[in-house]
Amino acid sequence: MKAKVRILDMYSGRYSVFINEKEAKKAKLHPDDLVKIEAGKKTVYGSVVVSNLVKEGEIGISRDILQLHSFSEGEAVMVTPSGTPESVRYIKKKMHGEKLRKVEIEAIIKDIVDRKLRDIEISSFVTSLEINGLDMDEIAALTIAMAETGDMLDIDRKPIMDVHSIGGVPGNKTNILVVPIVAAAGLTIPKTSSRAITSAAGTADVVEVFAEVSFSLDEIKRIVEKIGACMVWGGALNLAPADDITIKAERALSIDPTGLMLASIMSKKYAMGSQYVLIDIPTGKGVKVETVDQARALSRDFIELGRRLGQYVEVAITYGGQPIGHTVGPALEAREALSALMTGRGPGSLIEKATGLAGILLEMGGVAPAGMGKKMAREILESGKAWDKMKEIIEEQGGNPDIKPEEIPVGDKTYTFTAPTSGYITGIDNRAITGIARAAGAPEDKGAGIELYVKVGEKVKEGDPLFTIRAESEARLDQAIVFARRTEPIRIEGMVLQRIGNI
Ligand SMILES: O=P(O)(O)OC[C@H]1O[C@H](OP(=O)(O)O)[C@H](O)[C@@H]1O
Ligand SMILES: Nc1ccnc(=O)[nH]1
């Protein structure tokens, strides 16, 4: 059918195409059917919404479509039903545990990016990867397909460094310190991050508290060529565009299938032209990788994938057995990261991890002699040079470089849990901490999260505060309190853990 475009002032989180009820009946179109919209050389796919918000002879399109495609009000288009894409068959193949060929993986990714596959099929793909996995040939094909369906950045500076965590550990604001330390040493580091996947705050969610994170590739090129660094959200760019779409399905299920995680991270690094990449694998109970053996196996996969992409990759296996630092949630983490950069001091876990990772990058980039990177990273942090660089990043990304960390607004609805007995902290449950912070509204409510007053090994007295939940609404606070009561986020025991009798 022929129709005129009406732009509807709404975002639906998908490509929605509104069709008048009578017209839908005539054309035999039903809600959620896939349709093709064509205008000259332009072709876009979307899902039908039957609605009398639009008149006969019109199709309404949501603003989501306009982010990547240009349509104008009143533009004449042709709308036709579109059948099930061939790639659905390949998704089923993976469901049955078969290996996918390169062309099949390319077809799936192209259809994800072209919106021919809808949320329902994409979540089946993600689930099939969680269950049946991918081998290295499939991962390499997936990575390249994800990168090549988007734009590539070409920065006129060498060498290009990068750092990326596989995530999973609560409170991981580490890379917000690592990037300015490395850039302050004169290296180039165009850092892209995703939003939260399984955690309560991804690095992009945290940086967004004090600076913009959505930029075009041209803007990023300008920023990085000027100051040597950026900290932006990968999903805002047309950079590995399938990544942000699959992440949506992962986030809903709180899963991050290993093969897809490798491709998600490395496709962004490949598209940014990174040559020296450091991957952080937090390892411990309740995170994505629980044992050092598993972390070693995953490290080999990252290094091999990097080799196939022409990148030099090193991996740091880091301690992920409890949260990093004392805060979880976007605004609280922003405060902690900025204050550590500003003063050169902060929680031991955060400073230790950040200077350790930055030190490896300084050595990889050839600006620190072998074995001296961490010391140099610490000096850069303590001398205030990292903070100066951070201020440049904030300024270039449209934030206020004179920001005072303690003035960043945080949720004012609070509840503090106290120690029910005296003893030692023998465990902090990562999953419970993330669950509480998410129940409190993180990452969407920036001020929601947790302030932790204790870490594993510390001694507490009955009645000492253990952690405070912060939320932006009473309803969310109540949900978080209920969640916290159902779990055991912090375990306290005496020094004798168990007595085994001799019987
Ligand atoms: O912890 P979850 O939410 O699973 O993983 C997502 C986080 O991990 C990565 O961290 P970074 O950007 O290297 O700091 C991503 O970019 C994102 O911030
Ligand atoms: N799956 C992912 C994990 C961490 N970071 C990413 O960008 N992607």
Side-chain angles (χ1 to χ4, degrees):
M1 74 191 216
K2 280 199 186 128
K4 289 220 165 16
V5 168
R6 227 181 99 192
I7 294 166
L8 298 177
D9 194 11
M10 59 168 284
Y11 288 95
S12 60
R14 56 215 299 241
Y15 282 17
S16 297
V17 179
F18 286 63
I19 298 184
N20 174 276
E21 196 176 353
K22 265 198 201 145
E23 205 146 47
K25 222 177 218 151
K26 253 193 280 164
K28 304 279 172 242
L29 287 171
H30 311 282
D32 222 25
D33 277 356
L34 186 70
V35 286
K36 178 157 96 174
I37 311 172
E38 286 170 295
K41 287 209 179 89
K42 270 185 298 199
T43 306
V44 175
Y45 293 83
S47 309
V48 169
V49 177
V50 175
S51 165
N52 291 329
L53 278 177
V54 291
K55 299 200 216 55
E56 284 179 72
E58 286 181 343
I59 60 148
I61 60 172
S62 61
R63 289 208 176 269
D64 312 70
I65 298 181
L66 298 181
Q67 288 178 321
L68 285 182
H69 307 274
S70 62
F71 279 100
S72 47
E73 190 76 21
E75 185 171 346
V77 293
M78 187 71 193
V79 184
T80 46
S82 177
T84 306
E86 181 69 8
S87 55
V88 168
R89 209 160 54 78
Y90 310 145
I91 294 175
K92 282 198 210 151
K93 227 176 127 175
K94 182 45 79 184
M95 273 178 194
H96 296 131
E98 289 174 52
K99 176 169 174 164
L100 296 180
R101 289 164 44 220
K102 189 164 171 281
V103 284
E104 294 169 339
I105 290 173
E106 286 165 355
I108 294 172
I109 295 304
K110 186 160 187 319
D111 286 349
I112 289 177
V113 173
D114 288 345
R115 310 288 169 146
K116 280 200 210 169
L117 289 173
R118 293 158 305 171
D119 299 351
I120 206 157
E121 288 123 0
I122 293 167
S123 68
S124 303
F125 177 54
V126 170
T127 309
S128 73
L129 298 185
E130 173 78 0
I131 296 168
N132 291 319
L134 295 167
D135 72 11
M136 187 45 73
D137 292 336
E138 293 175 300
I139 295 170
L142 183 64
T143 310
I144 293 169
M146 283 172 73
E148 289 184 346
T149 39
D151 297 331
M152 304 264 181
L153 190 64
D154 183 16
I155 293 172
D156 201 10
R157 269 176 174 245
K158 296 275 169 310
I160 308 248
M161 315 299 297
D162 215 336
V163 61
H164 208 98
S165 174
I166 69 160
V169 65
N172 194 19
K173 68 285 290 174
T174 321
N175 286 335
I176 299 175
L177 276 67
V178 173
V179 171
I181 295 175
V182 171
L187 292 169
T188 304
I189 181 158
K191 169 81 177 117
T192 52
S193 291
S194 77
R195 294 193 184 278
I197 301 172
T198 64
S199 72
T203 296
D205 300 308
V206 180
V207 174
E208 198 178 34
V209 169
F210 53 84
E212 309 263 323
V213 294
S214 302
F215 293 93
S216 70
L217 277 189
D218 285 345
E219 287 167 325
I220 294 198
K221 185 171 158 69
R222 189 196 58 75
I223 295 173
V224 177
E225 286 177 357
K226 183 167 170 201
I227 62 168
C230 66
M231 273 189 233
V232 297
W233 173 42
L237 315 162
N238 187 31
L239 183 103
D243 183 45
D244 198 50
I245 304 173
T246 45
I247 281 179
K248 252 183 29 202
E250 294 182 308
R251 186 183 302 127
L253 301 163
S254 207
I255 56 170
D256 196 9
T258 309
L260 186 56
M261 173 182 79
L262 278 142
S264 157
I265 295 174
M266 296 300 280
S267 61
K268 290 197 284 276
K269 309 294 106 174
Y270 183 64
M272 289 298 272
S274 314
Q275 299 158 307
Y276 297 90
V277 182
L278 177 63
I279 300 292
D280 161 34
I281 304 189
T283 304
K285 202 163 179 305
V287 294
K288 294 178 191 177
V289 175
E290 298 221 335
T291 69
V292 172
D293 280 347
Q294 287 167 355
R296 288 218 178 92
L298 182 58
S299 307
R300 286 192 289 274
D301 286 346
F302 268 109
I303 290 169
E304 169 61 15
L305 181 58
R307 199 186 57 73
R308 293 190 188 202
L309 300 171
Q311 294 170 328
Y312 175 83
V313 174
E314 288 198 23
V315 178
I317 297 174
T318 59
Y319 176 62
Q322 63 173 329
I324 310 290
H326 289 132
T327 58
V328 177
L332 290 163
E333 292 193 42
R335 277 187 173 188
E336 190 172 46
L338 292 180
S339 125
L341 279 165
M342 204 172 206
T343 62
R345 286 189 315 261
S349 56
L350 175 60
I351 303 290
E352 181 64 22
K353 182 168 175 183
T355 51
L357 295 181
I360 298 174
L361 281 158
L362 297 178
E363 292 177 21
M364 283 166 72
V367 295
M372 297 303 288
K374 188 169 175 193
K375 188 164 173 280
M376 184 173 171
R378 198 175 252 283
E379 280 164 10
I380 294 174
L381 180 67
E382 287 176 352
S383 66
K385 287 190 195 129
W387 176 237
D388 290 343
K389 182 53 78 176
M390 188 65 184
K391 290 207 288 194
E392 288 178 36
I393 296 173
I394 296 174
E395 177 143 35
E396 289 298 325
Q397 293 189 200
N400 171 15
D402 299 320
I403 184 167
K404 304 221 169 20
E406 65 283 4
E407 287 176 6
I408 292 175
V410 293
D412 60 349
K413 313 285 183 286
T414 65
Y415 186 88
T416 299
F417 278 78
T418 55
T421 58
S422 298
Y424 291 85
I425 308 294
T426 57
I428 300 186
D429 182 335
N430 282 322
R431 289 207 176 93
I433 294 290
T434 295
I436 298 166
R438 280 169 79 133
E444 290 84 2
D445 296 349
K446 297 278 189 202
I450 292 178
E451 280 170 283
L452 265 176
Y453 306 120
V454 293
K455 297 301 277 285
V456 173
E458 290 175 9
K459 195 175 171 184
V460 287
K461 287 201 304 294
E462 184 182 335
D464 280 354
L466 297 176
F467 64 95
T468 296
I469 305 175
R470 284 191 177 270
E472 293 182 359
S473 76
E474 291 288 353
R476 290 283 193 181
L477 181 67
D478 290 346
Q479 273 177 7
I481 295 171
V482 169
F483 192 104
R485 292 211 169 111
R486 278 210 321 259
T487 54
E488 192 187 6
I490 295 187
R491 188 170 323 127
I492 304 171
E493 280 160 313
M495 287 309 282
V496 178
L497 296 182
Q498 231 179 33
R499 177 175 172 179
I500 310 289
N502 183 350
I503 40 168

